[in-house]
Amino acid sequence: MSGTGDETRSGALCAVHLPRAGRALIGRPWRPEPEAEELPRLGRFPAVQPGQPAIERLAPTSALVGYRGPTACAAAGITYRQLDYWARTGLLEPSVRSAYPAGAQRLYSFRDILLLKIVKRLLDAGVSLQNIRVAVTHLQSADQAGLTGLTLMCDGATVYECTSPQQVVDLLNGGQGVFGIAVGAVWQELEATLGRLHGERTDTGETLVGNDPGDELAQRRNRAG
């Protein structure tokens, strides 16, 4: 039986036994032991040292995490001008928070930035914006399992969707695919990148500090100097 914190305390009485009729109780009467003071519960993740506050570490892919424009640009390898243009023209708008009302900071989800990264690679391969729009619309409607299992192949004009290695081989043999994007590999790469960058909780607006080993090393060097 797994422990949940609700089990009966060790040593507690399981039942009350009444003495037989005519038999006197020997010794002092039983008194219940005082209730043990409940200890404060700490969060599960990450591991917390005694005396430290509990900190909730959210995965970069969590729906509770959003990323502002500059972070999205850094992770996707695009300029802020491209990001702004694609949002204003409807190619790829942020799904967490748009720039409306005026003055609001755009907030992008992990999936949004994944698509930004794919759009950048398709543009670099010479695919037209018209075909990219079709590809983005299709990718937005796919679930996570279907998305990470896709390989996008293109010949500079048309984008092909492959869901199996054999389909990739067939396209290559037919001369229709000269450039491929394994969406699952891009997903893993982006997850590692965003884990080092700052995010924002979508429910509270709290800043989530990234875990960048390079920053920690620089801080240690500064303290030592």
Side-chain angles (χ1 to χ4, degrees):
M1 180 175 65
S2 60
T4 63
D6 295 325
E7 292 87 347
T8 305
R9 291 186 300 277
S10 176
L13 297 179
C14 298
V16 176
H17 297 279
L18 297 177
R20 295 181 181 177
R23 181 179 297 178
L25 292 173
I26 301 175
R28 293 177 298 175
W30 176 81
R31 293 185 179 86
E33 295 180 0
E35 291 284 343
E37 184 178 353
E38 185 177 357
L39 297 176
R41 297 185 179 182
L42 300 178
R44 283 188 172 182
F45 303 105
V48 180
Q49 299 298 325
Q52 292 182 339
I55 302 173
E56 185 180 10
R57 175 71 68 180
L58 296 173
T61 57
S62 171
L64 290 175
V65 182
Y67 302 92
R68 294 194 176 188
T71 302
C73 291
I78 61 176
T79 66
Y80 194 84
R81 183 176 181 180
Q82 287 176 308
L83 183 80
D84 182 63
Y85 178 73
W86 295 345
R88 288 189 291 105
T89 57
L91 173 63
L92 191 52
E93 299 179 82
S95 62
V96 180
R97 187 171 67 223
S98 67
Y100 302 99
Q105 289 278 353
R106 293 190 183 109
L107 207 59
Y108 290 81
S109 69
F110 176 89
R111 191 185 182 105
D112 294 337
I113 303 176
L114 176 72
L115 295 182
L116 288 171
K117 200 171 180 68
I118 291 174
V119 168
K120 173 66 164 54
R121 295 192 179 187
L122 291 175
L123 280 176
D124 291 343
V127 180
S128 68
L129 276 177
Q130 181 179 358
N131 284 333
I132 289 177
R133 286 181 184 274
V134 175
V136 167
T137 300
H138 177 73
L139 293 175
Q140 285 176 327
S141 63
D143 58 21
Q144 178 177 331
L147 188 62
T148 54
L150 288 179
T151 297
L152 300 179
M153 300 292 294
C154 61
D155 56 9
T158 306
V159 179
Y160 302 91
E161 174 191 293
C162 300
T163 57
S164 69
Q166 186 58 48
Q167 290 178 337
V168 174
V169 172
D170 291 343
L171 281 174
L172 291 174
N173 290 338
Q176 295 169 300
V178 294
F179 179 78
I181 302 174
V183 179
V186 180
W187 180 293
Q188 294 178 359
E189 177 186 336
L190 182 60
E191 189 172 3
T193 299
L194 288 176
R196 298 190 295 267
L197 301 176
H198 296 349
E200 181 178 318
R201 283 195 67 121
T202 59
D203 53 350
T204 64
E206 174 189 359
T207 299
L208 301 173
V209 179
N211 181 25
D212 190 345
D215 287 348
E216 294 177 5
L217 181 60
Q219 292 174 4
R220 292 177 183 176
R221 287 174 177 172
N222 291 336
R223 287 196 297 266

